[in-house]
Amino acid sequence: MTKRAIVSIRDLHKNYGEGARSRRIMAGVNFDIYAGEFFVLLGTSGSGKSTLLNLLSAIDSPTRGQIRIGNTDITALNDLQQTRFRRDHIGIVFQFFNLIPTLTALENITLPQELGGAARGKIETRARELLAEVGLAERADDYPDNLSGGEQQRVAICRALLHEPQIVLADEPTGNLDEDTGRAVIQLLLRLTRDAGKTLIMATHSAEIVPLAHRVCRIADGQLHIETIAPPASANRSAVKISNNALE
């Protein structure tokens, strides 16, 4: 893996007001995330995992500090610029899928890029390719209500990868799935991001995912403790085989 920082965080502070009090979430955090890395944010509920993902995606803003993604300081952008940067350079996979029920699987995948002005023919072709990669080629015209949880999350992964983002953020992507389906979704997400050389940053409370990561960041009391992991060879190979049945 090339040691090139794709994310650089410097002197990051995040506080939330709770009435007359201020609650500290992050305090003077400094670290880098490298291109092509699988970086796991591990912590209990309320520890700050989702907050950090929201800061990395510019959905939220730090109290103080700087976040650079590639050559862009996202903390220096205005709201509109942050929205455009997120749309063009970041893929997000949510715990609850966030699919629009009145749109088909294909339409859910292509909508964000259509709203950004992308050519419909080009993105639809790529969306169908991604659906085929995740075993859903025949479900392109189905609505979310007709898809299982695992299938909906596969659609959400396709949506996150359609625009070839620099980084992919996954916030508890298996939290709404049963254990077997969740494990298969993680393997699928790893395969797709590693095949494309993407950086995957995942927030989770599941220690099961730790052995698959390059590095794990444990969050507690506003501080981050980062440790390097040696993923098993099978986790590093792109040819991870996944049964479609396990994802249903």
Side-chain angles (χ1 to χ4, degrees):
M1 181 179 61
T2 303
K3 289 285 187 177
R4 176 175 64 85
I6 192 71
V7 177
S8 294
I9 294 175
R10 297 293 180 266
D11 192 32
L12 188 69
H13 293 252
K14 182 61 181 178
N15 300 328
Y16 284 117
E18 295 181 345
R21 302 174 59 186
S22 178
R23 181 185 175 211
R24 183 185 69 180
I25 306 297
M26 302 286 166
V29 169
N30 295 275
F31 69 99
D32 293 331
I33 299 174
Y34 303 114
E37 183 173 28
F38 177 30
F39 190 89
V40 167
L41 304 173
L42 189 66
T44 59
S45 178
S47 62
K49 305 184 304 297
S50 294
T51 295
L52 184 52
L53 285 188
N54 286 340
L55 294 172
L56 290 173
S57 62
I59 290 173
D60 197 1
S61 298
T63 303
R64 187 171 85 236
Q66 181 189 66
I67 301 173
R68 297 188 67 87
I69 297 179
N71 296 320
T72 302
D73 178 359
I74 64 171
T75 51
L77 303 178
N78 62 36
D79 288 347
L80 179 58
Q81 290 170 330
Q82 288 179 336
T83 297
R84 288 174 173 167
F85 185 88
R86 183 167 55 248
R87 181 193 67 204
D88 295 340
H89 300 287
I90 298 174
I92 304 177
V93 181
F94 302 94
Q95 177 178 345
F96 293 101
F97 322 137
N98 285 14
L99 301 181
I100 298 173
T102 56
L103 299 182
T104 66
L106 182 66
E107 290 167 341
N108 266 284
I109 295 169
T110 60
L111 179 64
Q113 298 311 304
E114 284 189 59
L115 294 175
R120 179 175 178 80
K122 181 178 179 180
I123 59 173
E124 184 173 313
T125 297
R126 178 56 182 152
R128 290 186 182 278
E129 291 172 352
L130 284 169
L131 282 169
E133 285 189 58
V134 302
L136 293 178
E138 305 303 319
R139 309 302 299 272
D141 297 323
D142 286 348
Y143 291 92
D145 284 351
N146 295 323
L147 302 174
S148 68
E151 289 169 337
Q152 289 186 61
Q153 194 60 297
R154 281 188 275 169
V155 171
I157 290 170
C158 292
R159 179 183 58 195
L161 296 177
L162 179 64
H163 58 297
E164 299 291 341
Q166 290 179 276
I167 63 174
V168 177
L169 307 178
D171 191 0
E172 298 279 8
T174 65
N176 202 35
L177 302 172
D178 64 76
E179 185 176 341
D180 289 341
T181 302
R183 187 179 296 113
V185 163
I186 291 296
Q187 290 181 328
L188 175 62
L189 185 55
L190 280 172
R191 176 172 64 81
L192 291 175
T193 52
R194 284 174 173 162
D195 279 356
K198 305 300 180 186
T199 300
L200 175 60
I201 304 169
M202 183 183 297
T204 183
H205 64 270
S206 173
E208 257 189 39
I209 294 172
V210 168
L212 303 176
H214 292 103
R215 285 188 299 160
V216 171
C217 175
R218 300 178 188 271
I219 304 177
D221 300 322
Q223 297 296 322
L224 279 65
H225 307 278
I226 299 175
E227 57 189 81
T228 300
I229 308 295
S234 60
N236 281 318
R237 292 196 297 265
S238 62
V240 176
K241 300 299 183 184
I242 300 171
S243 166
N244 283 337
N245 291 335
L247 286 156
E248 293 175 353

